[in-house]
Structure formats: structure tokens, C-alpha cells
């Protein structure tokens, strides 16, 4: 059973517009969430994260929103650029603040295509 | 049924030992991968393997070797374990698109639950 779900396998967005990628989770023990970006033939690279004590974290063009009651998080990219075309993975971990030692649970990814 | 399963989930062993982590996928995918997660939650690809080709990340020591008895399995063997090998290792699988340019991949990657290796 998928504990972290990304229900949209793909998404196309016009350059300059906002891209919104969604992620849902089922395990209420998750308390730390991450987004990864993956280009073809490379491993996922860390993009942005959020702790469950927050509902928003922003880093440049990237903002992650967390809705704990709905067990939902989203990644907003604004404005979208051609270099943002990649596969985005949502991941989650839990059981405390020593995040460096906690295993991740991944979603299956959403392919984002930015149309020039 | 778990789509991608890894065993064992936890492994504690002494330095110098040889160990294996097994991975099996029941999705019918033709490409499998091993990733290493470091303490900062960065993922580094170690190997990707399909029916045609084994791609090795050059930074991976040759003490690490993938073994694929069939399309549904990709095991990771590690010889002469070192302290720095302690990490979480993820197996993953994906399906190469049948249509379109060769090598096109849909991008969906199914991860296993991870195997935490601790070397003492």
C-alpha cells in the first residue's frame, strides 16, 4: 500500500506560469517531508523540505505547503522555467527530529514539462 | 502486495564482512536501480540495470557489485564493508516506454522501503 501518493504522473505548464505538484500521505506518524527533482539518467536531488511544525516553507521560486489535517502537501514553482522540466518526487519520514537517520518513503513521481 | 521489496530492512555487521541486500519487483518493469541515501537525505544513484545494460556510477567503489539473476531481481553485494558504507540503500524500478525515442522513460520510479546498513 502506497503511503505516499502522487496521483498525477504528468503535468504540463506554460513557461512563466505557476506549477503546482501535489502529494498525499496516509501515515499520520510522518513529520518531515521533502521534494526531490530528477533529471533523466540522474539520481533525485534534494529540492526543499518542510517539518510538520510548519505549514509553509519557501526557497526562491519554490514553496512547499503542508496541510496536516488533509495529509496533503504541494510544491509550487513560480514562475516556471524550462529548466524545471523534470520528474518531482515527494518523500516523507517520521519518528523524531534526528532526520538524518530516518528512512524515507517515496511517492512515484510527477513528470513536469514546462512549455516555452 | 509490495511492488518493490528489499530484504533485509535492517542490517548490522562488522567492518570487513561481506553482505548482500536483495531487491525484488513484481511490476514487470525492465529497469532497476540502487540508490544510496546519505545522512543529509541526499540520494546518489549507484547502479541502473536493465536487460540490455548495466550502468555503473564511477564513484561507486568496486567493492559494490549488482547481481541480477532475472528481470525481477537486482541484488546488491558489498565486499569488505567499511564504516563509511553505513547508510540507507534504496532499490527502485521503472518501465522504459515502448514507444517513442529509444531510452525514453516515463519517469515514474517505484522505490522499495529501503535497507538500513550499519557497519560497526
Amino acid at each position: 500500500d502506497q503511503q505516499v501518493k502522487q496521483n498525477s504522473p504528468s503535468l504540463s505548464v506554460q513557461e512563466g506560469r505557476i506549477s503546482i505538484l501535489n502529494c498525499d500521505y496516509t501515515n499520520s506518524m510522518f513529520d518531515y517531508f521533502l521534494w526531490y527533482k530528477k533529471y533523466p539518467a540522474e539520481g533525485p536531488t534534494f529540492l526543499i523540505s518542510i517539518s510538520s511544525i510548519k505549514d509553509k516553507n519557501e526557497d526562491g521560486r519554490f514553496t512547499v505547503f503542508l496541510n496536516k489535517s488533509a495529509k496533503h502537501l504541494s510544491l509550487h514553482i513560480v514562475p516556471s522555467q524550462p529548466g524545471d522540466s523534470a520528474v518531482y518526487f515527494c518523500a516523507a519520514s517520521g519518528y523524531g527530529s534526528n532526520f538524518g537517520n530516518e528512512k524515507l518513503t517515496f511517492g512515484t513521481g510527477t513528470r513536469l514539462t514546462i512549455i516555452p | 502486495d509490495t511492488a518493490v521489496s528489499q530484504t533485509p530492512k535492517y542490517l548490522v555487521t562488522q567492518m570487513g564482512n561481506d553482505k548482500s541486500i536483495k531487491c525484488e519487483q513484481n511490476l514487470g518493469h525492465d529497469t532497476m536501480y540502487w540508490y544510496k541515501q546519505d545522512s543529509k537525505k541526499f540520494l546518489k544513484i549507484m547502479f541502473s540495470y536493465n536487460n540490455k545494460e548495466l550502468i555503473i556510477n564511477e564513484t561507486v567503489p568496486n567493492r559494490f557489485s549488482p547481481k541480477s539473476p532475472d528481470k525481477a531481481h537486482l541484488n546488491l553485494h558489498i565486499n569488505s564493508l567499511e564504516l563509511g558504507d553505513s547508510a540507507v540503500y534504496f532499490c527502485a524500478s521503472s518501465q522504459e516506454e515502448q514507444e517513442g525515442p529509444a531510452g525514453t522513460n516515463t519517469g515514474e520510479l517505484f522505490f522499495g522501503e529501503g535497507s538500513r546498513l550499519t557497519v560497526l
Side-chain angles (χ1 to χ4, degrees):
Chain A
D1 185 33
Q2 280 281 113
Q3 294 189 66
V4 177
K5 299 177 186 178
Q6 294 175 255
N7 292 318
S8 299
S10 62
L11 175 68
S12 294
V13 174
Q14 206 75 33
E15 181 178 359
R17 299 287 184 97
I18 183 171
S19 295
I20 301 176
L21 297 106
N22 293 305
C23 178
D24 296 291
Y25 62 96
T26 57
N27 188 340
S28 58
M29 296 301 289
F30 287 144
D31 61 6
Y32 191 66
F33 304 90
L34 309 91
W35 283 95
Y36 289 84
K37 177 180 180 179
K38 181 184 179 299
Y39 291 117
E42 296 179 10
T45 55
F46 171 74
L47 192 57
I48 191 170
S49 63
I50 188 167
S51 163
S52 61
I53 62 174
K54 294 185 174 182
D55 54 18
K56 176 182 173 181
N57 188 26
E58 192 172 350
D59 183 2
R61 297 185 298 114
F62 302 90
T63 304
V64 56
F65 294 92
L66 175 63
N67 182 334
K68 289 187 289 293
S69 60
K71 294 192 179 67
H72 176 85
L73 65 155
S74 60
L75 174 67
H76 293 215
I77 307 172
V78 58
S80 300
Q81 299 174 353
D84 296 330
S85 294
V87 179
Y88 290 79
F89 291 92
C90 172
S93 68
Y95 311 115
S97 61
N98 192 11
F99 302 126
N101 290 326
E102 292 304 328
K103 290 193 292 186
L104 299 168
T105 301
F106 286 91
T108 54
T110 297
R111 175 184 290 280
L112 175 65
T113 302
I114 305 302
I115 304 164
Chain B
D1 276 349
T2 304
V4 181
S5 60
Q6 300 178 223
T7 54
K9 291 187 172 38
Y10 297 92
L11 179 58
V12 181
T13 188
Q14 297 287 332
M15 212 165 47
N17 285 348
D18 303 337
K19 290 292 178 186
S20 295
I21 306 173
K22 296 184 178 181
C23 179
E24 175 182 4
Q25 54 97 2
N26 62 8
L27 299 166
H29 289 168
D30 58 12
T31 306
M32 296 182 72
Y33 310 80
W34 277 105
Y35 289 89
K36 180 180 180 180
Q37 175 199 327
D38 67 15
S39 59
K40 297 180 182 177
K41 296 194 185 295
F42 292 119
L43 283 180
K44 180 183 290 186
I45 189 166
M46 302 177 72
F47 305 101
S48 66
Y49 190 87
N50 61 19
N51 291 335
K52 310 174 189 78
E53 194 174 5
L54 169 66
I55 301 172
I56 300 173
N57 184 323
E58 292 178 1
T59 66
V60 176
N62 57 15
R63 297 181 295 105
F64 291 79
S65 57
K67 299 264 192 293
S68 180
D70 54 57
K71 205 170 94 162
H73 296 84
L74 183 65
N75 303 325
L76 182 65
H77 295 268
I78 316 169
N79 295 326
S80 302
L81 279 157
E82 299 178 357
L83 295 176
D85 297 333
S86 295
V88 180
Y89 293 85
F90 284 94
C91 176
S93 74
S94 66
Q95 180 61 44
E96 198 168 343
E97 280 187 350
Q98 299 303 312
E99 297 178 0
T104 302
N105 188 288
T106 60
E108 275 193 305
L109 202 56
F110 289 76
F111 283 90
E113 294 181 331
S115 297
R116 187 197 306 286
L117 171 65
T118 303
V119 181
L120 303 176

